[in-house]
Amino acid sequence: MAKIVVTGIILAGGQARRMNGGDKGLIQIAGKSLYQYAIAKLLPQVDYLFINANRNITKYQQAGYPVIVDTIVDFAGPLAGMLAGLYAAQTSWVVFVPCDVPDFPDDLVMKLWQGRKENVGSYVASAGFNHPTFALLHRSVIPTLEENLIKHQHKVMSFMEKINASAVNFASYDKNFVNLNTLADCYQWEQQQINDK
């Protein structure tokens, strides 16, 4: 199977309401910002890397990768970050990961590519849950995504269903898709890393 040429986008543009409004991607865990864990995991799997952020742009730029902001204002959610990523990418295929999942599979992109069948997109399903912010999308979905956002339709899963994206089962990776939504989650994950050493 031919290798996919793909752009990776780390979604760090949210409001982080459950993080007391702090910038989730910049939360420090074990001396490293949360978004930097995503960079370390995603970088070996992609050809180009961008960070989608709407605050603290200069801090994100310190990582050395281009930072793109939403073209839809007022924190329109992950779909707005996906649209910005699709606009910015020079490749036909773009993979997205959220900044708040520090440990996802090393073969994420390959599995999403292989599991997409002939569809224009695919996303992660694991342990009975869908994780549509882990997604591989073709740039041809841009008009449909624009239409959704114009109509204020912001649910990522509804968009995946609309474009008939494939659900790719990551059955053996149940622990890899744990979102760190609160400061307590971050502390618990940090402690788990210490315990596992």
Side-chain angles (χ1 to χ4, degrees):
M1 178 177 290
K3 179 185 180 294
I4 180 177
V5 178
V6 64
T7 298
I9 309 288
I10 295 170
L11 298 171
Q15 288 182 288
R17 292 185 181 92
R18 286 177 283 183
M19 291 281 192
N20 300 323
D23 195 328
K24 185 184 288 187
L26 298 177
I27 297 293
Q28 292 282 310
I29 300 181
K32 191 160 68 170
S33 295
L34 192 50
Y35 84 98
Q36 291 175 320
Y37 288 92
I39 289 177
K41 279 286 185 177
L42 188 60
L43 189 60
Q45 304 186 50
V46 298
D47 300 277
Y48 308 96
L49 184 71
F50 293 86
I51 300 166
N52 165 238
N54 294 306
R55 297 181 287 174
N56 302 305
I57 306 301
T58 54
K59 288 186 179 179
Y60 282 107
Q61 287 173 332
Q62 290 172 4
Y65 302 98
V67 177
I68 52 175
V69 299
D70 291 354
T71 55
I72 309 282
V73 296
D74 297 328
F75 297 96
L79 285 183
M82 289 179 167
L83 181 61
L86 290 166
Y87 281 149
Q90 298 297 306
T91 57
S92 297
W93 290 96
V94 184
V95 68
F96 299 90
V97 302
C99 71
D100 60 356
V101 180
D103 184 25
F104 52 85
D106 296 329
D107 56 356
L108 174 79
V109 175
M110 183 186 72
K111 283 186 176 296
L112 287 174
W113 172 247
Q114 292 174 343
R116 72 180 179 86
K117 301 166 186 173
E118 296 299 317
N119 295 330
V120 293
S122 58
Y123 60 91
V124 167
S126 180
F129 294 95
N130 294 318
H131 301 280
T133 52
F134 282 98
L136 177 69
L137 297 174
H138 192 270
R139 293 188 74 246
S140 62
V141 305
I142 287 176
T144 307
L145 183 47
E146 288 174 333
E147 180 184 7
N148 267 43
L149 289 169
I150 289 169
K151 293 179 177 178
H152 302 287
Q153 296 170 353
H154 296 143
K155 291 186 177 180
V156 184
M157 196 60 225
S158 296
F159 173 71
M160 294 298 167
E161 292 169 352
K162 189 173 185 179
I163 63 170
N164 196 33
S166 298
V168 181
N169 188 17
F170 282 73
S172 59
Y173 297 88
D174 294 350
K175 295 180 180 178
N176 290 104
F177 297 102
V178 177
N179 289 74
L180 305 186
N181 288 315
T182 66
L183 292 174
D185 291 342
C186 293
Y187 176 76
Q188 184 176 1
W189 189 83
E190 183 177 20
Q191 290 302 306
Q192 187 63 51
Q193 305 317 298
I194 294 170
N195 294 338
D196 288 347
K197 286 183 179 179

